[in-house]
Amino acid sequence: MRAGHRAPSQTHRRPSGGSKRPGRPRRTGRAPPNRPGHHIHTTPSTAAPDERHTGVTMQSPTDADAHETVDTAFLAELRSHIPADRVLTSGPEYTRAVALFNAAVDVRPSVVVRCASTADVQAGVRASRNHGVPLSVRGGGHDFWGRAFRPGGLVLDLTEMRGVQVDVNDRYATVGGGALSCDVVSAAERAGLTAVTGTAGSVGMVGLTLGGGYGPLLGQFGLAADNLLGAEVVLADGSLVNTDAEHHPDLFWALRGGGGNFGVVTSARIRLHPVPTVISGTILYPIDHSAGILADLGGILQDSPDELTVDVGFLPGPDGKPTVYVAPTWSGNLEVGNAENGPVRTLAKLGTPVLADIGPVARSTTLAATDAMFPPGRMGAIRTRTIQSVTGSIATVLDRAAQEFTSPFSAIVWHQFHGAATRPPLGSTAFGRREPHLMVELISMWENGENKDHTGGGDGSSSHLRWLEKTHAALEPFSLPGGYVNFLGPETPDQVANSYGPNAERLLAVKSAVDPDSVFSATPLPTSTADA
């Protein structure tokens, strides 16, 4: 439910929807000055990044094994530019640094650099290129595939670069590359504003944004990617560029939906909105009445206003039995949204709910609630499908899948894509789908270290993974091509090939221009336009 980086003006600017091969960005070694306005300087939340992942068990080689693979010349170059205590190859700090949200990740890097500045990132990129060491970037560390790490590689760990500066007058935030969604929302709330995020606070803000960023404010303000105003990016040769709609527009276009495949985003400017409080909550219905409830919801949501975005799905309820889950978010006038017969509370009157907890709430509180439901340290996997609506046949598939949950921590959730998110032309950003739809998350999670009752499949897979693949396959006949790239992995090449639609050609041209050697590999890209 976690819907899952300014240079001188250019005289000639290609229209944003064009597909010609872009030029290579001009580099600069310094960031632009702050725009005028009232700035609030904030610090990240008090919990250290390490503490967020305490207790995660990695299924990988020992620290000593990782350390033995590190080239001494490579380490010497890193330590000539970066303090030695931030270049980690073994020991307790290294162990904490390689703990990710998903404890099932089985990837061990050789070196972790705890970056404190853009200069650290540049030094790391150059060293990796000079010595042929695979490179990866860690922001929030929530990717289910663990693509923050590459085997035997160098990790540029941005978790200490979490600062957030809020410009109240111009309503934007400048956020560090390692800032979490909760960092940005909490800072914005203190100024009476909010940011477009997903549903969880512990997800990295930059990674979410680069891949698209579905979320509960989508109908009113669009995707997280639609709210990206600019970014500072370290390219594959270690040079620095600042990009926005006027400067390096091809790169800026690619960053809005193309993922972290073009460089290291060390900071980003994010548009903010004056909606720190929403009407939101959780409604749970007995699964016995799912067919009627989903049919009613489909009719309501088809005509829902921009201010109302609703997540729907199946979750295990308080007694462990699966329930129909409805999570509305109203971002408009609070009195209208909270009215007894208003658009939000109507969703709690489709039957007799097991739970109906709705009311005014700070967005930071809603993010924290999702984090509590999905804490780090469990093992898991995710798949996604895109559907136009929940028809009777799809409802039957999903109901059956919920009845067959193999873990009390698994979930099926679909996110409404409507309103403001549908209005930008398809070619205006790299994001590959703009018509109304539902993005389905299939989440299988289980306790790390649970007994072996779930590992006896004839194909060698656990029952949790068999449930996931079965449900994913059952939805295929009803699904649109492609999928949400933040939730796609190597197991679904057909979905990857179709995820960007007509934007694929231009996206790959930008990739070729700024990273021809594919130094950066984050969310999946088509291998060629022929694939799409």
Side-chain angles (χ1 to χ4, degrees), residues 95-112:
T95 300
R96 285 191 286 270
V98 296
L100 295 174
F101 169 81
N102 184 6
V105 171
D106 187 17
V107 180
R108 181 57 56 104
S110 294
V111 184
V112 177

Side-chain angles (χ1 to χ4, degrees), residues 108-128:
R108 181 57 56 104
S110 294
V111 184
V112 177
V113 171
R114 283 279 176 80
C115 298
S117 67
T118 298
D120 290 345
V121 173
Q122 292 179 282
V125 170
R126 289 170 179 145
S128 72

Side-chain angles (χ1 to χ4, degrees), residues 52-88:
R52 294 178 180 269
H53 301 282
T54 300
V56 176
T57 302
M58 299 293 291
Q59 316 276 313
S60 303
T62 64
D63 293 349
D65 291 339
H67 179 65
E68 289 174 0
T69 65
V70 183
D71 180 79
T72 55
F74 173 53
L75 283 178
E77 179 173 343
L78 285 173
R79 287 169 175 160
S80 69
H81 298 283
I82 300 167
D85 62 348
R86 290 197 275 111
V87 180
L88 310 175

Side-chain angles (χ1 to χ4, degrees), residues 3 5 24 44 67 95 126 128 150 152 156 182 212 223 242 273 280 448 514:
H5 255 8
R24 189 169 178 82
H67 179 65
T95 300
R126 289 170 179 145
S128 72
R150 295 179 71 178
L156 300 178
C182 61
L223 292 162
N242 289 278
H273 304 276
S280 189
N448 184 12
V514 302

Side-chain angles (χ1 to χ4, degrees), residues 125-405:
V125 170
R126 289 170 179 145
S128 72
R129 295 299 303 274
N130 291 341
H131 297 271
V133 177
L135 181 68
S136 64
V137 181
R138 174 178 180 161
H142 260 253
D143 179 64
F144 269 83
W145 288 266
R147 288 173 288 208
F149 300 159
R150 295 179 71 178
L154 166 66
V155 180
L156 300 178
D157 186 336
L158 307 186
T159 54
E160 293 183 5
M161 298 175 64
R162 287 173 57 187
V164 180
Q165 298 177 6
V166 175
D167 186 310
V168 178
N169 291 345
D170 288 337
R171 292 183 180 173
Y172 74 89
T174 302
V175 307
L180 304 181
S181 297
C182 61
D183 298 330
V184 183
V185 168
S186 295
E189 275 182 0
R190 292 192 282 273
L193 302 167
T194 198
V196 173
T197 69
T199 58
S202 56
V203 170
M205 186 69 195
V206 168
L208 169 86
T209 300
L210 298 184
Y214 289 73
L217 301 183
L218 176 151
Q220 178 84 309
F221 303 119
L223 292 162
D226 298 331
N227 290 272
L228 180 65
L229 299 175
E232 177 185 84
V233 188
V234 176
L235 297 178
D237 61 0
S239 61
L240 183 68
V241 299
N242 289 278
T243 180
D244 57 24
E246 301 297 329
H247 308 97
H248 312 303
D250 288 303
L251 176 59
F252 182 60
W253 175 89
L255 293 178
R256 291 177 293 161
N261 296 296
F262 308 93
V264 186
V265 173
T266 51
S267 73
R269 284 188 292 116
I270 305 293
R271 182 182 294 111
L272 301 178
H273 304 276
V275 188
T277 302
V278 294
I279 305 299
S280 189
T282 299
I283 306 165
L284 300 178
Y285 287 105
I287 196 171
D288 297 345
H289 306 291
S290 68
I293 291 168
L294 293 181
D296 290 342
L297 279 169
I300 292 172
L301 299 184
Q302 185 173 4
D303 299 319
S304 64
D306 293 358
E307 295 90 341
L308 178 62
T309 297
V310 185
D311 293 342
V312 183
F314 294 93
L315 289 180
D319 60 358
K321 295 180 180 179
T323 62
V324 180
Y325 165 80
V326 183
T329 298
W330 174 267
S331 55
N333 180 280
L334 295 182
E335 290 186 6
V336 173
N338 203 34
E340 186 60 32
N341 294 317
V344 180
R345 294 191 179 276
T346 297
L347 299 174
K349 299 176 181 179
L350 306 179
T352 303
V354 175
L355 171 70
D357 183 10
I358 302 170
V361 63
R363 289 214 57 238
S364 58
T365 301
T366 66
L367 297 180
T370 301
D371 290 339
M373 292 172 63
F374 293 91
R378 290 177 181 153
M379 306 181 81
I382 194 170
R383 299 290 183 270
T384 185
R385 289 290 187 189
T386 302
I387 58 177
Q388 289 184 322
S389 62
V390 178
T391 62
S393 297
I394 293 175
T396 298
V397 169
L398 297 174
D399 180 281
R400 182 183 302 118
Q403 300 276 12
E404 297 174 352
F405 278 147

